[in-house]
Amino acid sequence: MKKLFTAILLVMSVMGLSSCSYNSMVQMDENVKAKWGAVESQYQRRADLIPNLVNTVKGVANFEKSTLVDVTNARARATSIQVDPTKLTPETIQKYQAAQGQLSTALGRLLVASENYPQLKANDNFTALQAQLEGTENRINIARLDFNSAVQEYNSKIRSFPANITAKMFGFTEKGYFQAEAGASKVPTVQF
């Protein structure tokens, strides 16, 4: 009888230590999902701007078709990948980030190639869309930083004692981070 009482007391103590951790883990998990939604929202904003940019470029310049096709195809690939916020594993985030990286590269080529078309640079619509894309890229960066901060806070919580006991009991697992793309540490070469 004494052993049963001790076992029950021990279980209740562990649950008492970790009960408040459960609620905070749920809140942090929801915060990570909300931050992920903000990241996706900013990427969607960029994807929505791209058709306008491409149509403006088409209308003003006899432009390199391959560049426009690359941008259009990269946008299609980037918008086709959907990540379930409940499964933010490093692998799914890397897959999503790779598709978005291809789109960023294609947009970069489009903006650099536009330097060869003075009538395009003078077009107010193109200039406005270019400014919108630059602003969107900044918003994407901020959203990714906010997401990584939320993931860091969540991952730290579920790995800390005694919260790690609750995390294991209720299936809370580590979330993945956005990471720099391969080759991002190299300084790009700009030639005129």
Side-chain angles (χ1 to χ4, degrees), residues 86-102:
T86 61
K87 297 177 180 133
L88 294 172
T89 63
E91 296 80 24
T92 58
I93 290 175
Q94 285 176 345
K95 184 178 175 184
Y96 184 83
Q97 188 174 356
Q100 295 298 332
Q102 291 173 352

Side-chain angles (χ1 to χ4, degrees), residues 20-166:
C20 59
S21 295
Y22 177 80
N23 291 336
S24 62
M25 280 186 254
V26 169
Q27 290 171 343
M28 288 177 176
D29 186 46
E30 289 302 316
N31 186 39
V32 168
K33 290 175 188 175
K35 298 293 184 188
W36 178 252
V39 168
E40 287 184 316
S41 174
Q42 293 306 323
Y43 278 120
Q44 184 61 51
R45 183 177 190 274
R46 178 175 70 173
D48 293 344
L49 285 171
I50 290 169
N52 294 327
L53 179 65
V54 169
N55 288 334
T56 301
V57 171
K58 279 182 187 175
V60 175
N62 183 7
F63 203 67
E64 298 174 30
K65 272 189 174 179
S66 65
T67 302
L68 294 174
V69 169
D70 287 348
V71 170
T72 304
N73 290 341
R75 178 188 178 271
R77 281 190 301 275
T79 57
S80 70
I81 295 178
Q82 300 297 316
V83 177
D84 182 356
T86 61
K87 297 177 180 133
L88 294 172
T89 63
E91 296 80 24
T92 58
I93 290 175
Q94 285 176 345
K95 184 178 175 184
Y96 184 83
Q97 188 174 356
Q100 295 298 332
Q102 291 173 352
L103 181 55
S104 294
T105 301
L107 280 173
R109 283 196 311 270
L110 174 66
L111 296 174
V112 168
S114 70
E115 296 294 321
N116 296 326
Y117 296 90
Q119 72 274 23
L120 181 59
K121 290 191 304 188
N123 184 293
D124 291 337
N125 290 335
F126 179 77
T127 304
L129 285 170
Q130 186 176 9
Q132 286 289 324
L133 278 173
E134 289 170 3
T136 299
E137 292 301 319
N138 288 335
R139 287 184 182 114
I140 288 170
N141 187 47
I142 290 169
R144 287 188 301 214
L145 290 172
D146 288 347
F147 172 77
N148 279 349
S149 292
V151 168
Q152 186 264 334
E153 184 180 3
Y154 169 82
N155 286 348
S156 295
K157 177 71 173 184
I158 68 166
R159 293 181 60 212
S160 301
F161 183 80
N164 62 345
I165 297 168
T166 304

Side-chain angles (χ1 to χ4, degrees), residues 163-184:
N164 62 345
I165 297 168
T166 304
K168 283 184 174 69
M169 285 174 34
F170 292 100
F172 289 97
T173 58
E174 284 191 50
K175 306 288 186 191
Y177 290 93
F178 260 101
Q179 298 176 355
E181 294 178 33

